[in-house]
Amino acid sequence: MKIGNLDFGKYPLLLAPMEDVTDESFRLMCKEFGADMVYTEFVSSDALVRNINSTMRKLSIQDAERPVAIQIYGRFVDAMVDAARRCEEANPDVLDINFGCPVKKVAGKGAGAGMLRDIPLMLKITRAVVDAVKIPVTVKTRLGWDHDSKIIVDLAERLQDCGIAALTIHGRTRSQMYTGEADWTLIGEVKNNPRMRIPIIGNGDVTTPQIAKERFDRYGVDAVMVGRASFGCPWIFKEMKYYLETGELLPPLSIHEKMSVLRRQLRESVARLDERRGILHIRRHLAATPLFKGIPNFRDTRIAMLQANTVDELTAILDKIESLYLVLKSNGFHHSENLPVKFGFSPQIVPANIVKKLPSQRCFKPLYIAFFNFSHKRPTFAFTGESGYTLAFRRKIAHSSSHAETGAFPPSVTAWLCAASEISFIPPRFYIHTFPGSL
């Protein structure tokens, strides 16, 4: 994929622009983990032309982040042109126009996704910004305002005619906000339109390496943009890159390495802002990171973590969590960011009593089987296969350990499928659940 003179090669992964998330520190981390291009938080054109300090700070970029894009939004042509020129002075590689933000305080005033209700004004702003700067201008938008006005196929051509260098499409309408599933079929339709010449970047619900690969292969997009899946998880770009290049899952980073990333985010956030605002900023990442999923009895620790008011207090809690991982690991717990969701059940930590190599069974090729003793007559078993999927089920067996040793487990049992390389504990009383992708 090429945007202007920038050549991103095959399978580029981009960090989406997100308010209160993609600050300078987080962008740099994502870049270090393999993001091909990063975007600033979106910048209000009105605030920029009024020289609001907090908005001006968003224009600060480092050479280590490059290529980097600054994203602007607004609803007045003159203000957008003025803001575009000011952004160009900050020397970004790309200038992006936000026509997709769905939040009420933006879209409700006619900016962001609100422009989807005034296409002539959207096109007028786009042409004016393209003509005002020398750097490549791109656009990020949505499928349409609502289900009855999915206009992206026609709109994409009209935006291309305005001179933009690339188009990013989020696979939802404004009315959906971030609910439901992203619909990539129209993104694929735009990409496969023979009249489209510019790169098409897909965005929405790209949460695992496997999904990223499927989006490239199925819809033919030139790049994939990753948003909320990166919260508290900048290493997701490394995992996706490895899978895209090799077709294999990357061995996960250690818990210590991941906790070190969160500590670094905390330090740099506080250094950039101050202790109070820095901690408030980092809470979004701490609340969303998959690192803490599946830890038993974690609720009180989570509440304390999200209510901490000082760096020392929060650092002590993070240290405690890392120590907890070491204790769990010594008891047979192996962390996976794709652990089972709780569904109202309380997970129990139970070390595997038996690990047994098994021959292939039907279409599933297990690498090992683990027997988990829940001290009742319906124990839980887990197969981990070569595909990286884990099949876990419960079955009433009279002589559990004997069956575990012989591998005599018929596949016609209540099953649970999840994307995980291994599993070390399972909530009791599980019934039929099937999950595509990660949890």
Side-chain angles (χ1 to χ4, degrees):
M1 180 184 77
K2 294 188 69 174
I3 297 178
N5 295 323
L6 300 171
D7 191 342
F8 295 93
K10 190 177 183 181
Y11 296 139
L13 298 172
L14 315 182
L15 171 66
M18 294 174 284
E19 182 68 2
D20 294 327
V21 176
T22 55
D23 59 87
E24 193 173 348
S25 171
F26 187 66
R27 297 194 306 265
L28 186 56
M29 285 186 194
C30 292
K31 184 67 178 179
E32 292 171 358
F33 278 110
D36 292 284
M37 184 160 74
V38 297
Y39 289 67
T40 65
E41 302 170 79
F42 58 84
V43 176
S44 166
S45 60
D46 294 339
L48 192 58
V49 299
R50 297 200 312 270
N51 297 312
I52 303 299
N53 288 334
S54 59
T55 301
M56 298 293 289
R57 284 196 296 267
K58 293 179 180 180
L59 302 186
S60 175
I61 56 179
Q62 301 180 43
D63 286 340
E65 300 176 53
R66 297 188 184 278
V68 59
I70 293 178
Q71 187 186 70
I72 60 174
Y73 74 95
R75 61 191 178 98
F76 299 111
V77 177
D78 291 343
M80 288 289 283
V81 167
D82 191 353
R85 289 173 175 153
R86 293 180 183 227
C87 289
E88 187 175 30
E89 293 174 0
N91 197 29
D93 299 282
V94 173
L95 179 66
D96 190 67
I97 306 175
N98 182 315
F99 292 140
C101 178
V103 299
K104 185 176 181 179
K105 69 178 182 179
V106 176
K109 296 178 180 179
M115 282 288 169
L116 290 165
R117 294 193 292 182
D118 192 345
I119 300 305
L121 180 57
M122 177 193 289
L123 299 176
K124 185 176 181 180
I125 288 175
T126 304
R127 289 192 197 94
V129 170
V130 169
D131 292 340
V133 298
K134 295 182 175 61
I135 58 176
V137 175
T138 60
V139 164
K140 184 173 189 286
T141 189
R142 290 184 167 230
L143 303 180
W145 178 257
D146 55 28
H147 178 75
D148 297 322
S149 59
K150 294 183 178 180
I151 58 174
I152 189 60
V153 176
D154 175 69
L155 177 60
E157 290 189 47
R158 300 174 72 180
L159 287 169
Q160 177 179 255
D161 293 341
C162 292
I164 63 172
L167 174 64
T168 301
I169 305 170
H170 182 94
R172 290 183 175 87
T173 62
R174 187 274 170 179
S175 63
Q176 285 182 273
M177 300 291 286
Y178 295 102
T179 62
E181 295 183 1
D183 179 7
W184 279 64
T185 55
L186 288 177
I187 300 176
E189 191 172 332
V190 172
K191 175 56 189 174
N192 294 320
N193 182 346
R195 292 183 293 275
M196 294 301 298
R197 303 178 304 277
I198 60 175
I200 301 301
I201 302 163
N203 173 233
D205 295 348
V206 182
T207 56
T208 69
Q210 297 94 323
I211 292 176
K213 182 68 161 60
E214 188 263 349
R215 296 297 191 251
F216 277 111
D217 293 345
R218 182 175 179 182
Y219 300 102
V221 291
D222 297 284
V224 163
M225 182 175 281
V226 180
R228 290 173 293 163
S230 67
F231 286 8
C233 187
W235 53 82
I236 194 171
F237 289 99
K238 183 175 182 179
E239 296 172 346
M240 288 182 174
K241 275 287 183 184
Y242 187 85
Y243 188 82
L244 289 168
E245 293 170 358
T246 68
E248 299 177 356
L249 293 174
L250 179 71
L253 298 178
S254 69
I255 295 302
H256 177 71
E257 290 173 312
K258 293 177 179 179
M259 294 296 291
S260 295
V261 170
L262 295 184
R263 292 189 187 95
R264 175 184 166 187
Q265 284 187 256
L266 172 61
R267 291 193 305 270
E268 295 183 358
S269 179
V270 169
R272 184 175 61 90
L273 301 168
D274 55 47
E275 186 170 55
R276 184 185 67 84
R277 290 185 299 161
I279 289 175
L280 289 175
H281 177 79
I282 201 65
R283 282 179 182 171
R284 175 172 295 191
H285 293 273
L286 294 175
T289 180
L291 189 55
F292 306 137
K293 288 182 179 179
I295 300 180
N297 304 316
F298 189 69
R299 182 176 181 274
D300 292 341
T301 303
R302 176 184 172 85
I303 292 173
M305 178 179 67
L306 297 179
Q307 291 181 345
N309 293 313
T310 68
V311 171
D312 290 342
E313 183 182 359
L314 185 51
T315 300
I317 293 173
L318 294 177
D319 291 343
K320 176 183 175 182
I321 294 172
E322 185 171 349
S323 298
L324 174 62
Y325 265 113
L326 296 176
V327 173
L328 293 177
K329 185 175 181 181
S330 67
N331 285 279
F333 175 82
H334 298 282
H335 177 261
S336 167
E337 289 172 11
N338 298 315
L339 288 171
V341 289
K342 294 183 180 180
F343 287 104
F345 301 121
S346 299
Q348 300 180 16
I349 296 298
V350 283
N353 293 350
I354 299 171
V355 175
K356 177 73 177 178
K357 296 284 184 180
L358 290 178
S360 298
Q361 292 188 7
R362 294 192 179 182
C363 297
F364 193 80
K365 298 180 179 179
L367 297 182
Y368 70 81
I369 182 171
F371 163 54
F372 303 93
N373 184 6
F374 284 97
S375 301
H376 52 58
K377 293 182 180 181
R378 294 176 65 86
T380 300
F381 300 87
F383 290 104
T384 292
E386 293 175 350
S387 63
Y389 285 90
T390 295
L391 179 68
F393 61 87
R394 299 179 58 249
R395 183 154 178 86
K396 187 173 182 179
I397 299 174
H399 304 288
S400 300
S401 60
S402 173
H403 279 265
E405 291 172 357
T406 61
F409 304 111
S412 56
V413 294
T414 300
W416 163 54
L417 186 64
C418 74
S421 58
E422 62 180 43
I423 190 165
S424 296
F425 66 92
I426 302 170
R429 298 188 302 280
F430 245 94
Y431 300 99
I432 297 175
H433 296 291
T434 302
F435 304 99
S438 71
L439 301 176

